Amino acid sequence: MLDEPSDASYNPSRAIELIKSAASLTASEANDTTHEVNQAFAYYREALHLLPPDHRLRPYVLETFALRLMSRFQELGGIEDIDDCIKYQREVLTLPPSRQEGPIEDDQESVDAAASSLYLFGDTLILRFERTEDLRDVEEAIESYGNALVLTPDDDPMHCRLLKKLMEALLLRFRELGRKDDIDEAVRRQREIISLSQTEDSDSATGAPAIPLNRMGDILLYRFASFNSINDLIEGIESYRNALSLLPNDSPLRRMFLNDLAKALTLRFEKQGDRKDINEAISCQREAAILPDTDDDDVPSALVSSLSLLGYTTMRGFQRSGRFEELDEATKSYSQAIAHCPDDGPRRLALLKEVTKCLVLRFNARGRAEDLEEAITHQRELVTLSALLEDEESFAWSLYLLGNIYMLRFNKLSAITDLAEAVESYEQALALIPEDSSKRHKVLDNLAGSLMSRYKENEQIEDLNGAIQRQREAIACPSIETAQAPIRPLAFSLHMLGGFLSLRYKRLSKLEDLDEAINNFGQAVVLSDKGDIGRIMFLQNYANSLKERFDLTGQVADNELAIKSYRELVAPHFPRSFGFIRVPDITPEIRASHLFFFAECLESHFLQSGRVQDLDDAISSLRESVALVPQKAAHIGFLGGLLARRYQSTGQSKDLDDAIECQHKALTLDPNDRSLALTNLAVNFNHRYAVTGKASDLDKAIDLSREAIALCHIGHPAYIAALSNLALFLSSRFDRSGRAEDFEETVDIRRQVTTLNAGAADHYEDIANLASSLLRQFQQTGEPKYLDEGVMHLRKALSEVGPGAKRADLLNNLGTTTYSRFHQSGALQDVEEATACFREVTELRPPGHISRPADLTNLATVLYARFRLIRRIDDLRGAIQVAREALSTAPKGHVYRAIYLNNLGSYLDERFQRLDSMNDLEEAITCYRESLSSSDLGHRTQLAVSSNLAVALSTRYGKINQAEDLEEAVDLHRSALILAPPEHPDKALMLSHLAGVLTERFSRTHQIQDQEEALELLHRAVAILLPSHPSLTGTLQDLALAYWNGGDHEQAFSLFEDAVNQPTSNPRDRFTSARFWAITARGAHHPSALSAYMKALELLTLCLTSTPTVDLQHEFQVEIASVSSLAPNGASCAIERGELEKAVEILEQGRALLWSRMRGYRHPLEKLREADPRLADEFETLSSQLQHLAVSSGRSKTIQVGATASTLEHDFDARMAQNRKLSEAFEMTISSIRQLDGFSSFLQAAPFHALQTAAKEGPIILVNIDKWRSDVLILLATSAPILIPLAEGLPEVVRRLSLELVEVDRTARDAERYGVRHRSKRIDMGSILRTLWEKICEPVAVALQKVGCPVGSRIWWCPIGRLSSLPLHAAGIYENGVLVEGFPDLYMSSYTPTLTSLIASRETAVKERSCVRLLGVGQSNSLPEVEREFQAIQHVFPTGVLIKDREEADVDTILHDLHDRPWVHFACHGSLDTMSPFESGFILHKTKCLSLRRIMQAKLPNAELAFLAACHSAAVESKTPDEILSLAAAMQFCGFRSIIGTLWTMDDSDGPVLAEAFYKYMLRNGLENASVVDSAEAVHLATKAMREAKVPLRRWTTFVHLGI
């Protein structure tokens, strides 16, 4: 409504004038310009404003103005016009109907006027909806039409028009909302229209009655499309037919009506498949296509539509019937439509798409190239039009389809240009199609396929890589469908990618490609169901690839999956069709190949599992395969091979006969390749020989192989196979007959095969076979050259082979050969190489591999051998671990379980010998007994197990003294010897073992015949062994002990000497023999005793040299308990013989063995560099490397993050090999240096005259406590050593004093920590010091005074063994803590670990003094007196002190600062690790340990003084006291010339006092004049001050001085 003006503002007269003016402006088209129209509209608006609501002209003006606005909206589209129009019409509906003259008085006329207004209002609303799509307008229009319809009688012409308007509005609302009520009402209204049209006098000649019927068909089809009610479709067709029947033949509407009926009929045909419908539809379209043109027709458009529909209809008919004439008609119709269609526009685009489809279909059906030519022409035009008319994705799809057609033509004509065009089209399409498009994966699929096709043409790897990349992108597309059965796009894409990767694997031999291919094939199988198209193909390629990888890697899981896939493929009821889709038939040839491969997999599974059922299934499959392709010689030959294999398992003679028959038949079927057939037949005769043992079968196999070789030339595929087989057969005949010429020919043939087959994929097998033959030849002749040749070939082959199955096979052979060479040579490098080989094999063949149990067995064997060589317990543990894993693969009944049990038992038995755990021994015996109980125990295995069980029982007898064990051991050893052939490699060992248990029994029963037999057995054992055999030392030792026990001592000592001088035996075995020699000779007071001790010390050094790290060297010394007593025993023996200088040499040589070699690595090189700079550099480099290797962590408590047991073992293997190589180079360098003038004794054990120089600044007191005798040797600078014999029983005294000292220290610590004041009356520090004085030190003091050693001068203690932990420097008699007499008031004591270390400290002392710089390292957070201690030090030092306390004192920082600070003061806890001494050290921030190992690794050229105010810093490790493994000794080794340390726990409060006194004395002459030589006197005076201050004995006596 307009704004209501006030009465005063109304002016009807003025309004009428304005209305007239507006009418005149719009009266003619000449005046109908924009200006006049706008002016007229302004007049109308003003007039309406001036007319009161009840003015008679107002309805007229509103209606007139509304019509004008509607016209302008239709012309210009201004939304304001249609909005105003509706507003004015809505007001008209509120006013009484009127004319220009005034209100309508007649009721009917008034109703008619109202109906017209409602009609017009509805049209206007629909007009605005078409612009705005506001559904409210449609709602209101429907209401308006409905109201108008109510006001209009049925016979009124407007009534029918209103029905049409209402029906269309209802359809409009249905399209928007989809409400079934709307379309149902629309149908009802259309029925009313039809009814009215039939009653009206319409002109039938014009076809007017037909139009509503045709429209009814449209509406019913619309409802059918929405709700799928077939009745609507049927009624719609009837409506179209009725409409067509009412239409004159010449009606211009006929073509349209025919098209509508054809569409409906085609739709019903698609739904119900009634051929009559499509035939009728085609007839309608044909009639429409030939109708004459009329004046009313848009001729091209109508004809194009008819031809297009005819094409569509005939195409649908073809798709259902397959009748090519319909396809031809469709193609023709579309082509004609295109000919009449304009050159551009969407209709031509659609027609081009359809005709291209038809042409491609017709090509696929008939294969005519001209169809493709035409299709390409149309598709090219389609691409051009798409670029202009469609969006990018549609344009891309047109390019994609063009690529498809090019690919079709390429496949037909093989024109490479078509392939290039296809690739280009696909790539262009891909560039245009969005990432999230549902069609993208199809483009990528086909692009990948076209690249693959191009690769097959030109073999350019870039195309293959591109295909793989594009296929991966296709699979990654989120839109790719996964569940569209029976065709699944994702499954097919995965399968395609698998195929591409498989092809690249064949090209590049990269196993990862095959792995990925298998993974993709497998996913394709998983995504597909048994009813899916493509599953056969997926399964086939999946199974084939799995089989290929199994053949390559031996992974059992691959073979099992392949079997599962082949089993489904060959199943009798595998589906072949899916609905209307027919899968191509599987030909007999294809099925036969599936069965053939299935049988191959089953055979492999049988070889792994031993299940005869696998063989049965394989043979059944091969029989079916042979039935399908009876002329396939390969299938028949394979069947023969399987039958022969089953015969070997079951013993059914018919299988073997059938096998031979099959091979004969194969030979007959394929005469063109007789050589191959002969080769296969020869193999079967060899199989039969293997079972029957008939020499004639083996001879036949050899003859057939020779015939095969004679038939083919050298390049023939069967030539190499026949030669290889001949070598195998000849080797078998050699085993049978021992004919040397057979084996010689075997080796010659294998050498020939290795040469001929060089470069072939299986060449590594030839090398492996040759190496095996050479190994066998060595076993026959004992000539190491054959092993060397085998190793050479294998190493060369390995250098050319990357990771994979080939490498694993070669490594296995190389490991076997080098291990065999180790048995012959005893060389450490051979067992190292074998270990590395077998360890890598186990990594290349992970769990599940068919060969893994054998690989584990080999690895365990070489680890055990290396353990026997270097006694590294981790090697033995590793052997046990892998032996258990091997055993876990062999359940009870397994053919190899007995062997695995025997191996595990051997290793457990050995661990018992090392660790003395009865559990290990009992488990070993259990393993041996279960192994012997096996029903299928082989002769060789039974022999080994019997011998091992006998040894274990003998060992148990030694532990529990059970006579039954000893008797059973004797019986088992005798049985083993009976079983063993004369040439058995362990015959000598078995003889020795029997001799050993007989000796044990003699000790029990004293039956002389046992002793005599033992001696005779040992003589036989020695006679069997070659002079170079590594076991000769052990056997000679056993024989020597037998003579010793028999009383023939001279013969025993002669044999001992022979045993220790076997250079090819293990140094540890030789060392053991030397110890036995020394012990027995000393006990018999034989003159060879001293030689035995000297030899033992020499061999001990050799044992340590061959061990790569100090940890293992220490383990070795701990294991051999007598090592620590060797030097004292030898020295006492020399003293006994009066050779005092030799005694000094022995004590020096036998102490600190771990340090001595380290010290050699740091030997001063100034003189050598002057003589030969090159050798000096070489020595320095090798020394540095060996030192780093020696102190590298072997048993560190901290393991690198991510390190595994495997990587740690690899690291040790590498260090072993590196140590050996560096040691060999080091010894060669030393040998070269010793050739120089003046260097003949370079790094040799120092002779006495060199050691004597240690005493140039004061006497050295060597105290040797030994079970044979105890003595003191005083070493003087210029005279012979002074001997002071000590009292008997001192070893026990020293042991007791050591324990008492520990108790005193513990009691004092308890009192400090817990307030426990208990003190033993019997044990105190005073009694310990008194005993030391009386038993040892007083005689020394007397002797020193006799030789004129001034009171107050310096002396050095060099104690042996446990004595190193006792306070010799403080020995004396004390009363209430006051010294009455003793060493502290006589001499200033220092200690030195060895004479050599003291000499080295003096030689390397800094000559030029510099201002002292001190590093203080502490942990005041755990030791409260540390801050006071540092304050005292800082008070003494004016400058030059750097303190690192608490968090500042971390390990790396301290090691860094030590390089710049010649003096260091540690004020922290010390830590002694008895399990791993090299992890002892100083406890720093966050309990991190500055370990002895890290200190050893440091290089500190400026180091001078180390004050170790830490507990136990000078205490030695108790298990190997002569190694002097203390923190103080480590500091001396690292270059510190003087060290102050503690022998036991120090009192915290003593630190500040002693430090202040010590440093005050050191700096008494100023920083610039401070000398480290004063340190001994400084600590002497500081402790004297503590003594005088009544500090308890335990506290001041702990402090000692080491060094210069």
Side-chain angles (χ1 to χ4, degrees), residues 367-385:
R368 297 192 316 186
E370 52 267 31
D371 284 336
L372 278 185
E373 297 288 345
E374 190 176 350
I376 288 172
T377 300
H378 288 313
Q379 191 65 30
R380 281 177 176 156
E381 183 184 352
L382 182 59
V383 167
T384 303
L385 279 177

Side-chain angles (χ1 to χ4, degrees), residues 654-873:
K654 185 177 184 305
D655 279 342
L656 195 53
D657 294 337
D658 288 348
I660 303 283
E661 182 183 345
C662 284
Q663 293 298 343
H664 276 298
K665 187 175 182 181
L667 188 61
T668 305
L669 282 172
D670 197 1
N672 295 326
D673 201 0
R674 183 175 176 80
S675 57
L676 180 60
L678 287 166
T679 300
N680 292 334
L681 185 57
V683 169
N684 269 337
F685 271 105
N686 183 59
H687 285 325
R688 187 158 74 179
Y689 161 73
V691 180
T692 66
K694 290 183 179 180
S696 58
D697 284 334
L698 184 56
D699 291 340
K700 184 69 172 176
I702 291 170
D703 292 341
L704 288 168
S705 294
R706 292 194 191 280
E707 183 182 349
I709 292 168
L711 284 173
C712 54
H713 55 82
I714 290 179
H716 192 281
Y719 186 76
I720 297 296
L723 272 176
S724 298
N725 287 338
L726 177 57
L728 176 65
F729 304 155
L730 287 166
S731 179
S732 297
R733 192 162 71 181
F734 167 74
D735 292 340
R736 180 186 180 89
S737 66
R739 289 172 52 185
E741 57 268 30
D742 280 342
F743 196 74
E744 289 171 2
E745 187 178 0
T746 298
V747 176
D748 289 342
I749 289 172
R750 284 183 169 160
R751 283 197 178 103
Q752 182 184 358
V753 169
T754 300
T755 303
L756 290 173
N757 209 29
D762 59 349
H763 182 51
Y764 76 100
E765 294 178 4
D766 306 327
I767 293 173
N769 289 334
L770 174 58
S772 297
S773 293
L774 291 166
L775 174 60
R776 185 73 179 280
Q777 201 162 18
F778 159 75
Q779 292 166 345
Q780 295 299 319
T781 65
E783 299 237 9
K785 66 178 182 180
Y786 296 116
L787 286 178
D788 296 340
E789 183 184 353
V791 169
M792 178 195 69
H793 285 299
L794 289 167
R795 283 176 179 163
K796 184 176 185 299
L798 266 174
S799 68
E800 300 169 356
V801 175
K806 296 178 183 179
R807 183 171 182 82
D809 290 343
L810 286 169
L811 284 165
N812 192 62
N813 277 276
L814 180 57
T816 302
T817 307
T818 51
Y819 182 63
S820 298
R821 190 165 70 177
F822 162 73
H823 269 297
Q824 184 269 337
S825 66
L828 178 60
Q829 59 264 37
D830 284 332
V831 80
E832 285 173 1
E833 187 168 6
T835 303
C837 287
F838 289 132
R839 200 183 296 284
E840 186 177 350
V841 169
T842 60
E843 292 170 355
L844 291 170
R845 295 171 175 166
H849 193 283
I850 191 171
S851 300
R852 185 166 177 83
D855 300 335
L856 292 168
T857 301
N858 290 337
L859 178 57
T861 301
V862 296
L863 285 171
Y864 178 59
R866 190 169 73 182
F867 165 77
R868 296 295 302 274
L869 198 63
I870 65 171
R871 310 302 291 177
R872 176 177 178 255
I873 192 64

Side-chain angles (χ1 to χ4, degrees), residues 40 124 252 333 354 387 419 496 548 618 640 890 938 993 1153 1202 1506:
T124 308
S333 296
E354 296 301 326
L419 195 53
M496 285 176 66
E548 185 171 12
H993 284 159
L1153 290 168

Side-chain angles (χ1 to χ4, degrees), residues 917-1145:
S917 169
M918 282 300 292
N919 288 337
D920 283 339
L921 182 59
E922 294 295 346
E923 186 181 357
I925 292 171
T926 301
C927 287
Y928 294 142
R929 292 199 187 282
E930 183 185 343
S931 180
L932 276 177
S933 68
S934 177
S935 58
D936 56 353
L937 194 65
H939 177 87
R940 190 180 185 89
T941 305
Q942 183 182 0
L943 189 156
V945 179
S946 297
S947 182
N948 288 339
L949 177 57
V951 171
L953 290 168
S954 177
T955 303
R956 188 167 70 178
Y957 165 76
K959 295 296 291 184
I960 64 176
N961 201 27
Q962 187 171 296
E964 293 86 346
D965 285 342
L966 191 60
E967 293 302 324
E968 186 179 359
V970 171
D971 293 341
L972 286 165
H973 277 312
R974 292 195 191 281
S975 299
L977 278 169
I978 293 169
L979 290 171
E983 70 280 2
H984 194 282
D986 293 331
K987 186 85 170 190
L989 183 62
M990 295 162 68
L991 290 164
S992 295
H993 284 159
L994 178 55
V997 294
L998 288 170
T999 302
E1000 285 279 0
R1001 192 165 72 179
F1002 169 74
S1003 300
R1004 183 184 182 90
T1005 65
H1006 305 292
Q1007 294 180 4
I1008 195 65
Q1009 59 267 33
D1010 282 343
Q1011 188 180 45
E1012 291 172 349
E1013 185 182 358
L1015 196 61
E1016 186 268 333
L1017 289 169
L1018 288 168
H1019 272 291
R1020 287 171 57 193
V1022 171
I1024 289 173
L1025 296 173
L1026 295 170
S1028 61
H1029 198 285
S1031 297
L1032 185 56
T1033 287
T1035 310
L1036 285 168
Q1037 173 189 297
D1038 291 341
L1039 183 57
L1041 289 171
Y1043 273 108
W1044 168 262
N1045 293 328
D1048 190 345
H1049 293 178
E1050 288 299 328
Q1051 182 64 21
F1053 298 142
S1054 175
L1055 287 166
F1056 276 131
E1057 187 172 9
D1058 196 9
V1060 300
N1061 288 311
Q1062 296 297 319
T1064 58
S1065 291
N1066 187 336
R1068 298 194 180 213
D1069 291 340
R1070 296 169 62 196
F1071 171 67
T1072 301
S1073 293
R1075 285 194 302 119
F1076 277 124
W1077 178 18
I1079 292 168
T1080 54
R1082 184 72 180 275
H1085 303 287
H1086 193 267
S1088 68
L1090 186 56
S1091 297
Y1093 282 123
M1094 297 297 291
K1095 193 67 179 180
L1097 285 170
E1098 176 190 331
L1099 289 168
L1100 176 58
T1101 302
L1102 181 60
C1103 290
L1104 295 175
T1105 300
S1106 63
T1107 306
T1109 68
V1110 288
D1111 293 285
L1112 290 175
Q1113 293 166 11
H1114 178 258
E1115 281 184 16
F1116 169 68
Q1117 293 189 64
V1118 171
E1119 178 190 357
I1120 310 299
S1122 61
V1123 166
S1124 61
S1125 64
L1126 191 59
N1129 292 165
S1132 69
C1133 182
I1135 292 170
E1136 205 169 63
R1137 294 179 56 172
E1139 299 186 35
L1140 301 187
E1141 293 183 358
K1142 178 63 70 176
V1144 172
E1145 290 175 351

Side-chain angles (χ1 to χ4, degrees), residues 1439-1488:
T1439 59
V1441 177
L1442 174 65
I1443 301 298
K1444 296 288 185 178
D1445 191 15
R1446 296 176 179 264
E1447 65 274 3
E1448 291 183 342
D1450 66 89
V1451 173
D1452 292 334
T1453 301
I1454 299 307
L1455 286 172
H1456 176 269
D1457 291 339
L1458 280 172
H1459 285 81
D1460 301 322
R1461 301 277 164 171
W1463 291 14
V1464 63
H1465 185 103
F1466 282 98
C1468 54
H1469 284 300
S1471 169
L1472 280 177
D1473 189 329
T1474 57
M1475 295 301 295
S1476 185
F1478 297 103
E1479 297 305 320
S1480 301
F1482 303 102
I1483 305 302
L1484 302 182
H1485 181 56
K1486 291 186 177 180
T1487 70
K1488 299 293 185 181

